[in-house]
Amino acid sequence: ATTAPRIPSTRLALHHFDTSYSLHLGALWPSVRAGLLCEQKYGALLNNFAAADHVPQELELLNATDFISEARQKVQQWQRGAAARGCQEGSEMSPPLCASISSKIKCYTFPRGDITRFRPARPDSLGLLDYYLMDAASLLPVLALNVQPGDFVLDLCAAPGGKTLALLQTGFCGHLAANDVSVSRAKRLYEVLHSYVPKEVRDTVSVTSYDGRDWDQVKGGTFHKVCVWELVKISLLNRHSAMEEHNNIFHKRRTKERQMLPMLQLELLMAGILAAKPGAELVYSTCSLSPLQNECVVE
């Protein structure tokens, strides 16, 4: 063991990905693999609380577009087409996609193949930053949660704060409980809220650092909407593991920790379910491609 060459954790991660995901994803894996190894590309989540009406026009001049409004238009086209097919064929239509939340959230991205970087966010006259840079795909579980006016929302793994900020952009949260087990990450969440959200809105948010697995013992059966997403931030079993040696979950000393992730995620999901009111909705979303952490946990 002392004389054998040390294999970097990133190489171990890629070997694991190639072995397992090539079987799971088939012909899609080469393009997914290339995406994981490319430089990360961000979207700009507009801050509705900032006085920044000029920002959309500024971003559009750079050839960026709001991918959410584009998606909403495509859904509406699909629904019209499905309605026409249903009339002709007598087939049942899928339920319409609720667009009430997406109309309030705007996130600009550059076209495929365009790796232009967004400028750093700028403060308005009150000091609130005009947009938040994040992975645009991270907004998909926020949209799926479909928050309605007055909902009590639990964000069980909230830090660093992008999805929490997106939930507040809807203007619908009656109360938002933002929890993260890491005290240092919860401090980062505080910083995001103070940089983007006015005090009167921050007063509707409670930031805590409980172990998410015990949340049902704190406030069980009280929430209309529960978010359990990117459960174990330290794992980042895709891009981070393939690109960064620091804090890499594929380090040989962390094998047992990595193997226990599905069980930890299952416990968090169960706590989220127990924290919800009868008839509530929960979104479970991870940052992993592994079926063990996704389909198997849900089953």
Side-chain angles (χ1 to χ4, degrees):
T2 57
T3 58
R6 294 185 177 181
I7 302 176
S9 301
T10 50
R11 184 174 168 189
L12 287 175
L14 273 176
H15 174 72
H16 174 82
F17 293 164
D18 285 333
T19 303
S20 58
Y21 294 158
S22 60
L23 295 175
H24 178 55
L25 297 175
L28 291 174
W29 172 236
S31 60
V32 174
R33 189 183 196 274
L36 293 179
L37 296 176
C38 286
E39 184 177 357
Q40 190 162 5
K41 184 176 176 179
Y42 291 97
L45 172 67
L46 293 193
N47 185 13
N48 295 330
F49 303 117
D53 296 337
H54 64 284
V55 174
Q57 183 178 5
E58 176 188 327
L59 296 178
E60 289 165 6
L61 289 174
L62 295 174
N63 202 31
T65 57
D66 174 21
F67 87 92
I68 296 177
S69 63
E70 288 184 342
R72 188 166 62 249
Q73 293 172 3
K74 290 180 181 178
V75 168
Q76 292 170 350
Q77 292 173 359
W78 177 87
Q79 289 175 340
R80 286 193 293 268
R85 290 192 299 273
C87 292
Q88 294 173 1
E89 303 170 7
S91 60
E92 294 185 3
M93 282 183 59
S94 299
L97 179 67
C98 180
S100 59
I101 182 172
S102 58
S103 63
K104 293 177 177 290
I105 294 181
K106 297 185 183 300
C107 183
Y108 281 80
T109 58
F110 290 108
R112 184 187 296 262
D114 185 341
I115 56 172
T116 302
R117 288 178 174 269
F118 290 100
R119 62 160 173 80
R122 296 171 183 164
D124 66 1
S125 57
L126 298 177
L128 298 178
L129 298 179
D130 52 7
Y131 56 64
Y132 182 86
L133 297 180
M134 63 188 299
D135 188 328
S138 296
L139 288 175
L140 299 180
V142 176
L143 300 177
L145 196 62
N146 189 28
V147 179
Q148 298 299 304
D151 276 352
F152 276 47
V153 182
L154 169 61
D155 189 346
L156 201 56
C157 305
K163 296 188 188 70
T164 304
L165 180 60
L167 286 168
L168 292 174
Q169 297 300 311
T170 66
F172 289 160
C173 297
H175 176 74
L176 174 58
N179 180 74
D180 200 279
V181 67
S182 168
V183 175
S184 62
R185 293 176 65 86
K187 288 181 179 178
R188 168 61 180 152
L189 175 58
Y190 267 117
E191 294 172 0
V192 169
L193 292 176
H194 278 265
S195 298
Y196 287 88
V197 181
K199 184 180 184 306
E200 61 270 19
V201 179
R202 293 201 306 271
D203 289 342
T204 66
V205 183
S206 59
V207 178
T208 55
S209 293
Y210 296 114
D211 185 331
R213 293 172 291 183
D214 301 327
W215 186 271
D216 62 295
Q217 300 174 24
V218 181
K219 293 182 181 179
T222 57
F223 294 94
H224 302 97
K225 300 290 170 66
V226 179
C227 341
V228 184
W229 44 41
E230 289 191 12
L231 301 175
V232 189
K233 307 285 184 174
I234 201 171
S235 68
L236 290 177
L237 287 178
N238 296 331
R239 183 185 303 277
H240 178 87
S241 298
M243 301 287 283
E244 299 286 342
E245 283 296 316
H246 175 68
N247 208 21
N248 196 311
I249 195 70
F250 278 87
H251 192 285
K252 288 186 176 181
R253 295 176 183 172
R254 302 181 68 184
T255 300
K256 186 172 291 186
E257 179 186 354
R258 189 176 76 248
Q259 292 172 341
M260 290 302 295
L261 288 178
M263 180 57 67
L264 173 58
Q265 291 170 319
L266 175 61
E267 292 171 345
L268 286 165
L269 177 57
M270 290 299 296
I273 292 172
L274 293 173
K277 286 177 175 288
E281 294 178 81
L282 181 146
V283 168
Y284 171 76
S285 173
T286 76
C287 53
S288 172
L289 296 172
S290 170
L292 287 176
Q293 296 189 58
N294 296 312
E295 294 92 335
C296 292
V297 169
V298 173
E299 289 173 9

